[in-house]
Amino acid sequence: MHIQPITPEQTHALRHQVLWPDKPLAYVQLPEDADGHHFGVFEGENLVAVISLFVDARGEARFRKFATHPDFQGQGIGTALLTHVLGEAIRLGAHAIWCDSRQSAADFYRLFGMEPEGEVFYKGPIPYVRMQRRLP
């Protein structure tokens, strides 16, 4: 397994397959993708996990479209990738990080010191919660 920067376009297929397979591919393409930092986990030549990081001028970081191929979930790949992204956020000068988490994944983000903020909201039928934490 190795983690490396990738292009926004390299994230699209896995984002689509894992997060929103019932939507058109364009649904997982973000207008701000060109401004982000995108990372992928490779097993050999296969891209098996992706995440996109955005850091604004105020020093707030947000990660989006975090997806791990179902065949590779539960193997520590997502943990390694999120750990990497937290380090990148700090390196880029962020003082806080957040994401919109599917409610079903909130406990995973708690392992990284993230806490829910605000009310549950929905994207289609899926409940979400904003998860956040301060960075050193």
Side-chain angles (χ1 to χ4, degrees), residues 2-132:
H2 64 279
I3 299 170
Q4 68 184 54
I6 59 175
T7 67
E9 293 76 20
Q10 286 176 285
T11 69
H12 296 164
L14 196 54
R15 285 178 181 178
H16 185 247
Q17 178 186 4
V18 174
L19 300 174
W20 296 102
D22 58 327
K23 302 283 188 188
L25 182 64
Y27 190 79
V28 300
Q29 299 170 352
L30 302 171
E32 62 272 20
D33 267 343
D35 300 323
H37 304 268
H38 309 276
F39 301 93
V41 176
F42 289 84
E43 286 285 347
E45 298 296 316
N46 298 319
L47 181 62
V48 300
V50 296
I51 194 168
S52 298
L53 175 68
F54 304 89
V55 181
D56 68 21
R58 299 172 307 196
E60 287 191 7
R62 178 184 186 187
F63 61 90
R64 301 188 68 185
K65 307 300 184 195
F66 184 13
T68 302
H69 189 283
D71 292 347
F72 294 88
Q73 292 176 5
Q75 299 177 28
I77 291 170
T79 296
L81 184 54
L82 187 53
T83 299
H84 180 83
V85 164
L86 290 172
E88 283 295 307
I90 293 166
R91 185 184 69 77
L92 293 167
H95 60 81
I97 192 162
W98 66 281
C99 72
D100 287 340
S101 167
R102 290 182 182 207
Q103 198 170 30
S104 62
D107 286 341
F108 173 75
Y109 295 119
R110 282 188 176 94
L111 297 173
F112 294 88
M114 299 181 81
E115 293 295 330
E117 176 186 85
E119 300 296 320
V120 171
F121 61 96
Y122 288 81
K123 294 182 184 178
I126 301 172
Y128 279 76
V129 63
R130 180 177 171 157
M131 300 292 290
Q132 60 151 8

